[in-house]
């Protein structure tokens, strides 16, 4: 739970959980009141800010969300969760350079302030996803390689690195190696093994399809639904046997 792992005190975490629950149930007035109260009682907090922004978006107030996020990330550049929501608002508006500059400033500020390794890695992931569409594929891969060194167990970063190794570097062996590494990080994640198999299918590598699919089936207890998904992949790469 993101609230539980934040820096909020116990009572504030409980209030935060209540706000997230209210928002998920569509009780936006309750969530808004709780978050506003939290924001008044405590120093600015990344999770509270990003959750308030998400609530503003859900209630049709994107300009207010944009204003809140710009102000908070300017004053607290290490707020990576808020930066992530802000970037999602900036990019569709064509403000990609603003998003990139802000994300770079956020990462640079983390050198002078204590942050978790995951926060630094996720900020690099944010920057990589901005750099690649702007034509800086080399920079994007450099960011993701550094991010995997900082937080090697962060699966989301590794999966994006594998994707860009294929799309940008045309390094299919590197992508397979990265996905295999991730299945070692999370060996009981059935969907991760399925994504390894899907990568194999995309690359026309029956051996990789089998490798991922067999473990996926094992973790899914050979269910009919799992067998159906694997059968589609087998057909795609010409494996004639049935899963």
């Amino acid at each position: 739970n993101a609230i539980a792992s934040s820096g909020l005190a116990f009572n504030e975490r409980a209030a935060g959980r209540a706000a997230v629950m209210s928002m998920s149930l569509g009780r936006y007035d309750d969530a808004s009141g709780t978050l506003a109260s939290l924001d008044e009682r405590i120093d600015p907090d990344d999770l509270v800010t990003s959750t308030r922004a998400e609530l503003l978006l859900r209630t049709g107030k994107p300009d207010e969300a944009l204003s809140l996020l710009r102000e908070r990330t300017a004053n607290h550049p290490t707020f990576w969760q808020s930066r992530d929501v802000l970037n999602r608002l900036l990019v569709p508006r064509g403000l990609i350079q603003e998003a990139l500059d802000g994300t770079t400033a956020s990462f640079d500020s983390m050198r002078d302030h204590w942050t978790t390794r995951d926060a630094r890695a996720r900020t690099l992931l944010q920057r990589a996803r901005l750099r690649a569409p702007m034509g800086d594929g080399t920079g994007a891969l450099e960011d993701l390689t550094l991010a995997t060194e900082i937080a090697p167990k962060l699966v989301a970063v590794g999966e994006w690195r594998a994707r860009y190794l294929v799309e940008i570097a045309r390094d299919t062996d590197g992508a397979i190696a990265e996905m295999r590494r991730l299945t070692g990080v999370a060996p009981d994640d059935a969907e991760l093994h399925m994504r390894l198999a899907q990568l194999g299918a995309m690359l026309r590598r029956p051996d990789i399809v089998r490798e991922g699919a067999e473990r996926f089936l094992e973790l899914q207890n050979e269910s009919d639904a799992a067998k159906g998904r694997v059968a589609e992949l087998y057909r795609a790469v010409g494996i004639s046997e049935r899963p």
Side-chain angles (χ1 to χ4, degrees), residues 50-204:
S50 59
T51 305
R52 281 193 70 189
E54 293 280 12
L55 180 60
L56 288 168
L57 292 174
R58 291 196 189 191
T59 52
K61 301 172 182 175
D63 291 342
E64 289 185 37
L66 184 61
S67 178
L68 170 68
L69 291 166
R70 275 177 164 159
E71 182 269 323
R72 287 292 170 84
T73 56
N75 292 321
H76 304 277
T78 61
F79 279 15
W80 69 268
Q81 293 170 100
S82 300
R83 165 56 57 186
D84 188 48
V85 181
L86 176 56
N87 287 349
R88 287 194 274 117
L89 286 171
L90 293 174
V91 170
R93 289 169 165 79
L95 301 172
I96 301 177
Q97 191 63 52
E98 179 184 340
L100 179 58
D101 291 345
T103 304
T104 297
S106 178
F107 181 70
D108 289 345
S109 73
M110 290 178 174
R111 297 170 181 166
D112 302 320
H113 300 85
W114 184 89
T115 53
T116 66
R117 297 175 73 86
D118 278 8
R120 296 199 299 277
R122 288 183 184 278
T123 301
L124 285 168
L125 171 58
Q126 291 172 18
R127 187 166 71 175
R129 293 183 63 185
L130 293 167
R131 287 176 125 176
M134 296 178 73
D136 186 9
T138 299
L141 274 170
E142 288 174 351
D143 279 347
L144 290 173
T145 298
L146 177 57
T148 56
E149 292 172 0
I150 292 172
K153 294 184 178 182
L154 200 55
V155 171
V157 168
E159 287 200 85
W160 275 98
R161 182 169 182 267
R163 173 176 172 174
Y164 281 172
L165 283 169
V166 173
E167 295 179 357
I168 296 171
R170 303 291 187 246
D171 181 3
T172 57
D173 288 342
I176 291 169
E178 180 66 7
M179 288 301 295
R180 279 174 164 162
R181 183 186 72 79
L182 293 174
T183 60
V185 168
D188 296 328
D189 185 338
E191 289 301 324
L192 189 56
H193 290 278
M194 170 54 74
R195 288 194 288 277
L196 173 63
Q198 290 168 338
L199 175 63
M202 183 182 73
L203 300 177
R204 309 299 296 175

Side-chain angles (χ1 to χ4, degrees), residues 175-238:
I176 291 169
E178 180 66 7
M179 288 301 295
R180 279 174 164 162
R181 183 186 72 79
L182 293 174
T183 60
V185 168
D188 296 328
D189 185 338
E191 289 301 324
L192 189 56
H193 290 278
M194 170 54 74
R195 288 194 288 277
L196 173 63
Q198 290 168 338
L199 175 63
M202 183 182 73
L203 300 177
R204 309 299 296 175
R205 288 282 304 272
D207 57 323
I208 302 302
V209 173
R210 286 181 190 275
E211 179 182 334
E214 287 175 1
R215 180 60 176 152
F216 169 75
L217 285 171
E218 181 182 349
L219 290 168
Q220 293 290 301
N221 297 316
E222 305 278 343
S223 71
D224 289 342
K227 288 180 179 179
R229 293 176 66 186
V230 170
E232 289 184 19
L233 291 180
Y234 278 12
R235 286 193 295 270
V237 294

